[in-house]
Each structure stands twice: as structure tokens, then as C-alpha cells.
Amino acid sequence: MYRVRVRSVPPVVLALRRFPNPRLTGIGAGLFAALTMFVLACVDRLLFDSSELVYGLLFLPVSALTALWVRPADLVTAPISVPIAFAVGVFPISGGSEGLGGQIMGLVTALAVHAGWLYGGTLIAGLIASVRKVRQMRARRRYVLAQGRGGAPASEPAPRAAAASAAAAAAAKPVRAGAGGAGAVARRPQRP
């Protein structure tokens, strides 16, 4: 008789499973991050008088969520879209003077002053995306190895085994005299 051993799942994992788990495309993740940071910057301007600390602290979880919610095929876009979202969101709290030139100078100054938060959020998004990519590659490798055990020898992946067997079958065919080999060129009939 076999006993099935059931692992108990920690309550923290159960709580995290209840949260939404959307899979956004690269553009969707960028739009999510940019719109969220813009709204949070507007709220920061209204409630906290454009506090850099509040904006930076809110940027870190948005960066993490962007990297967690992007679909596996678009993982590379998370660390790219997060700094763009930071720049979009910092515009309402940049505090530039009147005119287009003053607004641009305020934005550039705010980006330079908040570079630590920008690098921190980008680092978080990059780390999460890298860990997810490594886990995805390991899962794919296990899948390929499991598929390889069923049909082909474990030392050879399935496509190579199929190609090797096809080449062996072609080499074993008898060749008629005058038909030429695999490299024979078709000749055109000559005119008398």
C-alpha cells in the first residue's frame, strides 16, 4: 500500500493566490505602468504636495507588479517600460515654471533628482523578469527532457534522432545503375 504525502501550503501562499494574476502584453504592461504612475503622481500632488518620497515609494510596487503581470513572451519589456512610466508619472510633480521650456527643464531636473528611485524600480523589475525567465527556461528544459525519454534516447533530442533515422534509411536504399546518387544532376536530352 502506498501512502500519498500531502504538503500543506503556507497561508501566505494561499493569500497571494487570491490576488489577480493578469497576463499583460508588453504594450499593455507599459500602459498599465504609465497610467498608474500618472494617476499616483496626481494623487501625490493633491494629497502630499508633490512629495518625492511618496512618489518613489509608490513607484517600487508598480515596478514589481509590472514585471509580475507581463506575460512570459514579453518579459524583456518590463525593465524597459518601467523607466518610461516613471518619466510619464513624474511630470505632474516636476514643478516646472510657465511655458514649454520651463516644464521640460522641471521634468529633466526631477528625473535627475529622482534617479535613485528610478534605478531602484528598474532593478526590481529586471530582477523579477530575470527570475521568471530562468524559471520558464528550466520548466521548458524539464519538459523537453521528459518528452525525449519517451521517443528518443535521452542523449539525443527528438529532432536529431528523427533526422538521423531518416538519413540512415536514405543511405540503406539500393541505387539503380545509371540513376545517380543523391548528388546526381538531371541532364537535358541533347539534340541530334
Side-chain angles (χ1 to χ4, degrees):
M1 222 186 231
Y2 294 103
R3 289 186 181 184
V4 177
R5 190 173 180 188
V6 179
R7 288 186 184 179
S8 63
V9 180
V12 174
V13 175
L14 290 174
L16 288 175
R17 286 184 183 169
R18 282 185 235 138
F19 282 110
N21 192 16
R23 288 292 169 225
L24 302 172
T25 62
I27 294 173
L31 287 174
F32 161 75
L35 290 176
T36 303
M37 289 313 300
F38 186 79
V39 168
L40 289 175
C42 291
V43 169
D44 179 28
R45 184 174 181 171
L46 291 174
L47 298 180
F48 301 106
D49 197 29
S50 301
S51 171
E52 297 90 12
L53 179 66
V54 171
Y55 181 76
L57 287 174
L58 291 173
F59 176 64
L60 298 179
V62 170
S63 300
L65 287 176
T66 302
L68 286 172
W69 287 352
V70 71
R71 67 183 184 169
D74 296 328
L75 279 173
V76 72
T77 62
I80 296 169
S81 61
V82 166
I84 296 169
F86 186 87
V88 168
V90 84
F91 185 72
I93 63 169
S94 62
S97 62
E98 296 290 326
L100 181 64
Q103 291 293 328
I104 291 174
M105 286 304 297
L107 180 65
V108 170
T109 303
L111 287 174
V113 171
H114 304 308
W117 294 111
L118 177 62
Y119 292 145
T122 306
L123 180 66
I124 288 172
L127 286 175
I128 291 173
S130 297
V131 168
R132 286 186 59 202
K133 185 64 175 179
V134 167
R135 290 182 67 196
Q136 177 188 8
M137 289 182 345
R138 284 183 182 168
R140 183 177 296 150
R141 188 175 190 195
R142 277 183 293 211
Y143 176 76
V144 168
L145 288 176
Q147 294 296 320
R149 287 187 203 136
S155 62
E156 265 185 277
R160 287 187 186 172
S165 65
K173 279 186 180 179
V175 179
R176 287 186 295 136
V185 178
R187 294 186 193 173
R188 213 172 16 166
Q190 294 182 358
R191 293 184 188 175

